[in-house]
Amino acid sequence: MARNVLVMLFDDVDTLDFCGPLEVFAITGQRATGPVPFTVTTVAERNSPPITTRSGLRVTPYYTFKNAIQADILVVPGGLGARHESNNRALLDFIGAQARRAEIVLSVCTGALLLGAAGLLDGLSATTHHGAFDELAAIAPSCNVVSGQRFIDNGQIITSAGITAGLDAALYIVQRLLGLPAAQETASHMEYAWAPISA
């Protein structure tokens, strides 16, 4: 049975923060026989009017917080919007509710600020964009903020550094769940120069 990948959206989200992991999960297994391993969709607090990303792309999320499916993998991207949304109680509550039953929660870039504000990083090690280390430490004071790593795997909670690091983290999740050959095939199809690393 395919795992549900739910990608969170909000205004001023960085486009590559969510599009990179979305693409990794969406194309994994597409060229193999048998069922695909992931079903990928999007969610936001609203779907009308569309979400406007930091780069001006307008995106209509498939689900809202009111009718969303339960994620097996929840992807929380970043961008300037993450700083605004760190005070959005409805969004933080949604993340918390999803995290209670999700197999994996992945933050990309400053999406870690949202996980921190939701209380999901307490007592854990985490990373984020290099320009947001101090912000993450302030939002989640009991979190060990780590620099110099593309991503950190705490088991259920995985955080990645800035923007393109989300691709590496998503491919690592594919490797962790489906094995190295599946991740390598996905990276090869994307023509992404990916070198497997451990968390």
Side-chain angles (χ1 to χ4, degrees):
M1 181 182 233
R3 288 175 167 93
N4 290 322
V5 179
L6 195 59
V7 180
M8 178 170 283
L9 300 177
F10 42 81
D11 284 324
D12 280 333
V13 63
D14 273 347
T15 306
L16 190 55
D17 276 14
F18 78 87
C19 282
L22 184 152
E23 189 72 3
V24 167
F25 292 119
I27 70 171
T28 293
Q30 291 289 342
R31 287 147 308 283
T33 58
V36 295
F38 303 109
T39 300
V40 185
T41 191
T42 53
V43 66
E45 187 171 7
R46 65 167 206 277
N47 55 18
S48 181
I51 296 300
T52 302
T53 73
R54 185 72 174 147
S55 57
L57 180 69
R58 292 171 68 79
V59 182
T60 302
Y62 191 84
Y63 289 108
T64 68
F65 294 170
K66 292 181 179 178
N67 68 357
I69 59 171
Q70 172 60 47
D72 295 302
I73 301 172
L74 178 67
V75 179
V76 182
L80 181 62
R83 291 172 168 89
H84 303 153
E85 298 297 331
S86 65
N87 294 309
N88 181 343
R89 193 69 254 167
L91 182 141
L92 299 179
D93 288 347
F94 180 79
I95 291 174
Q98 285 281 325
R100 281 193 287 275
R101 295 176 55 200
E103 182 178 4
I104 293 173
V105 178
L106 167 65
S107 71
V108 179
C109 193
T110 53
L113 300 179
L114 298 176
L115 298 194
L120 296 180
L121 299 181
D122 293 348
L124 302 181
S125 294
T127 193
T128 185
H129 190 278
H130 64 267
F133 290 149
D134 290 344
E135 291 172 86
L136 181 56
I139 284 177
S142 71
C143 173
N144 175 35
V145 180
V146 179
S147 64
Q149 289 189 225
R150 295 290 279 174
F151 57 87
I152 294 176
D153 182 0
N154 290 285
Q156 184 203 25
I157 306 293
I158 299 175
T159 58
S160 80
I163 311 175
T164 61
L167 287 161
D168 294 337
L171 285 163
Y172 166 77
I173 291 171
V174 172
Q175 176 187 345
R176 195 179 101 174
L177 297 178
L178 304 178
L180 181 58
Q184 288 174 321
E185 195 281 332
T186 298
S188 175
H189 182 75
M190 295 175 70
E191 297 199 358
Y192 180 60
W194 178 66
I197 58 175
S198 62

